[in-house]
Amino acid sequence: MDTSIILALDYSNKEELETFLEEFKQEQLFVKVGMEAYFNYGPRLIERLKSQGHKIFLDLKLHDIPNTVCKSMKVLASLDVDLINVHASGGRKMMQAAIEGLEMGTPSGKKRPLCIGVTQLTSSSEEMIKKQLNISMNMKDSVVSLAKLSKESGLDGVVSSAMEVPVIKEACGKRFLTVTPGIRLEGDLAGDQNRVCTPSKAKMLGSDYIVVGRSITGSKRPLTTYERLKKEWGSLHEVNR
Ligand code: C5P
């Protein structure tokens, strides 16, 4: 199974989701279930994807008071997903509480889901974080600062754009995971994303995992596009670490 490409199942329409899963039924995937799909189909979707042998990233980006995050993570850990996340801007106590909840909720004999912190969303631009969020740092420094905080709080890695991967690895070490959305195949539209990168650039920059949504779900032949991407990814080497 190629575990470095995570496919975003951003569907709220059951037929579209079924068509997509049917097309990929011979593949063992690493899929991302985000708010759109989870709020529509709930834990049953997770059970179903697991029964098909897929790995799961549950992308619900928790951000609340530590007690609420701890208790929610305890519930989510019982779903036995592989990867889960919180917003790093929730702070140290909240991230520590997330890990505590995951440890409490992980079924015995199973591994705790890896937990990563969202640094700055790939849809955010430097101008937006400066003007609207009053963050005085530039984008890279802000991402690195949130990555360091995530590491100190016991998280396993972060979500960022691929462009920030080299500085994150430098600050937090090679083994600290980087999961990078905002991936677009050459010629695809960026849509609401701002800090976008092609898969080959992301690999070159050292991304551990890329998250690909619309470049595959929106393509005329999703399976063919995925196969092409998998081949391209497998033949590339990191050069910048
Ligand atoms: O369609 P596209 O490839 O832009 O989808 C990216 C996916 O990754 C979406 O599901 C989005 O919610 C998610 N994501 C993101 N930026 C983050 C974290 C998650 O785009 N920082």
Side-chain angles (χ1 to χ4, degrees), residues 35-48:
M35 291 186 248
E36 193 177 344
Y38 193 76
F39 292 159
N40 261 289
Y41 313 118
R44 263 182 306 153
L45 173 63
I46 306 293
E47 276 164 34
R48 153 136 191 235

Side-chain angles (χ1 to χ4, degrees), residues 89-221:
S89 52
R92 180 175 291 138
K93 275 200 176 152
M94 189 205 77
M95 288 192 271
Q96 287 170 339
I99 298 289
E100 205 181 304
L102 287 173
E103 278 167 356
M104 286 193 288
T106 301
S108 71
K110 300 279 183 185
K111 271 205 231 153
R112 159 176 85 67
L114 292 172
C115 185
I116 54 179
V118 178
T119 55
Q120 294 292 353
L121 293 168
T122 38
S123 53
S124 300
S125 64
E126 189 160 301
E127 192 194 1
M128 181 274 199
I129 66 165
K130 283 193 168 156
K131 288 199 178 150
Q132 296 177 29
L133 308 182
N134 291 318
I135 293 173
S136 53
M137 286 179 201
N138 64 31
M139 181 60 81
K140 269 196 179 148
D141 289 346
S142 163
V143 168
V144 168
S145 154
L146 288 164
K148 282 186 182 162
L149 183 65
S150 304
K151 189 175 179 198
E152 285 161 23
S153 309
L155 264 55
D156 304 293
V158 282
V159 187
S160 71
S161 96
M163 287 175 280
E164 291 110 27
V165 168
V167 281
I168 294 171
K169 295 284 186 182
E170 202 185 312
C172 301
K174 204 174 163 169
R175 292 165 67 100
F176 194 62
L177 295 175
T178 50
V179 178
T180 63
I183 299 295
R184 289 292 178 271
L185 298 175
E186 213 78 61
D188 282 352
L189 295 173
D192 57 349
Q193 298 283 24
N194 258 297
R195 302 184 342 269
V196 294
C197 228
T198 59
S200 40
K201 182 99 192 281
K203 177 107 183 201
M204 210 178 76
L205 293 168
S207 284
D208 296 295
Y209 298 91
I210 51 169
V211 178
V212 192
R214 284 163 287 184
S215 270
I216 288 183
T217 56
S219 98
K220 283 204 178 97
R221 293 192 178 148

Side-chain angles (χ1 to χ4, degrees), residues 1-9 20 24 27-33 49 53-58 81-84 114 116 177 179 208-212 226 230:
M1 181 186 332
D2 191 318
T3 52
S4 311
I5 301 170
I6 303 179
L7 280 183
L9 297 181
F20 186 86
F24 283 82
E27 299 276 335
Q28 300 261 285
L29 304 170
F30 197 160
V31 293
K32 184 177 85 70
V33 174
L49 294 168
H54 301 315
K55 281 182 80 173
I56 300 166
F57 169 21
L58 186 56
V81 295
D82 301 278
L83 186 63
I84 202 157
L114 292 172
I116 54 179
L177 295 175
V179 178
D208 296 295
Y209 298 91
I210 51 169
V211 178
V212 192
Y226 174 70
K230 216 165 71 165

